[in-house]
Amino acid sequence: MFYIRNFENEFEFFLDMLYESIHIPENKPSKEVLLNSPDIRKYHEGWGRKGDRVLIAFNTEDQTVGAVWYRLFDDNKKSYGYIDGNTPEIGMAVSKEVRGRGVGTLLMHKIIQQAKDEGYNTISLSVDLENDTAINMYQKLGFKDYEVVGTSKTMIYKF
């Protein structure tokens, strides 16, 4: 059994999950190097601004096991899954030891509801074209293909 809480004092765990969410199958740079690269830093720098939201998954022993988040971007600072300035982009990762046990799906249901409750009409995400497991889960949740850029697919969910 797993449960979800709003982001409180788990910023380092969020950074761990952000690193984990970046699909690089071979020769992945260290967490410090990758998260401080210009293309990735925008996903966490200045966290806590309007439009930032993180939900954390915990197991029954109160250990963090996954996270899902979204952030708004704009035309001047676009993200990989950028649609427009009113569409938050979602990111998600689950700890290796609990993958395949429904944590990702639970997190996605919760963040979709959170975005709907906050009045968003659309949410987006970017996923590596080789990450079939994630793509299948997003499709089952109702995400639709939007565009392919390089090795990533942008998907959207409309309320």
Side-chain angles (χ1 to χ4, degrees):
M1 174 173 274
F2 303 97
Y3 62 98
I4 310 298
R5 282 200 309 239
N6 277 312
F7 177 72
E8 292 169 9
N9 298 315
E10 290 91 3
F11 188 70
E12 280 305 312
F13 181 71
F14 162 61
L15 292 177
D16 290 344
M17 292 292 96
L18 176 58
Y19 176 75
E20 213 37 59
S21 75
I22 302 165
H23 186 78
I24 301 176
E26 295 179 7
N27 302 316
K28 189 172 185 175
S30 70
K31 176 183 165 188
E32 183 178 345
V33 169
L34 188 57
L35 294 187
N36 286 303
S37 68
D39 287 345
I40 303 300
R41 190 173 46 237
K42 64 185 160 206
Y43 286 95
H44 64 83
E45 193 170 57
W47 190 266
R49 66 185 195 204
K50 185 178 187 252
D52 289 350
R53 176 72 63 195
V54 176
L55 302 176
I56 307 286
F58 295 84
N59 63 17
T60 54
E61 291 148 16
D62 211 33
Q63 297 166 318
T64 52
V65 294
V68 65
W69 56 91
Y70 58 69
R71 180 167 237 197
L72 291 171
F73 294 92
D74 61 39
D75 287 334
N76 298 322
K77 201 172 198 176
K78 293 181 179 179
S79 59
Y80 287 106
Y82 181 77
I83 303 295
D84 60 45
N86 296 313
T87 301
E89 182 183 348
I90 290 178
M92 183 190 65
V94 174
S95 300
K96 290 176 185 169
E97 61 271 8
V98 297
R99 287 184 188 154
R101 295 176 52 197
V103 177
T105 300
L106 176 63
L107 283 165
M108 289 301 292
H109 280 297
K110 294 290 187 179
I111 202 75
I112 289 167
Q113 187 60 52
Q114 182 74 42
K116 184 177 180 183
D117 291 348
E118 290 186 12
Y120 294 108
N121 298 316
T122 307
I123 52 178
S124 70
L125 57 82
S126 177
V127 60
D128 190 283
L129 291 170
E130 295 181 9
N131 195 345
D132 293 332
T133 303
I135 290 170
N136 289 337
M137 179 185 67
Y138 299 143
Q139 288 172 335
K140 286 178 184 174
L141 289 166
F143 282 82
K144 305 290 183 203
D145 292 355
Y146 182 76
E147 68 180 350
V148 173
V149 178
T151 61
S152 297
K153 176 189 292 203
T154 299
M155 301 179 80
I156 61 171
Y157 183 101
K158 293 186 177 190
F159 298 105

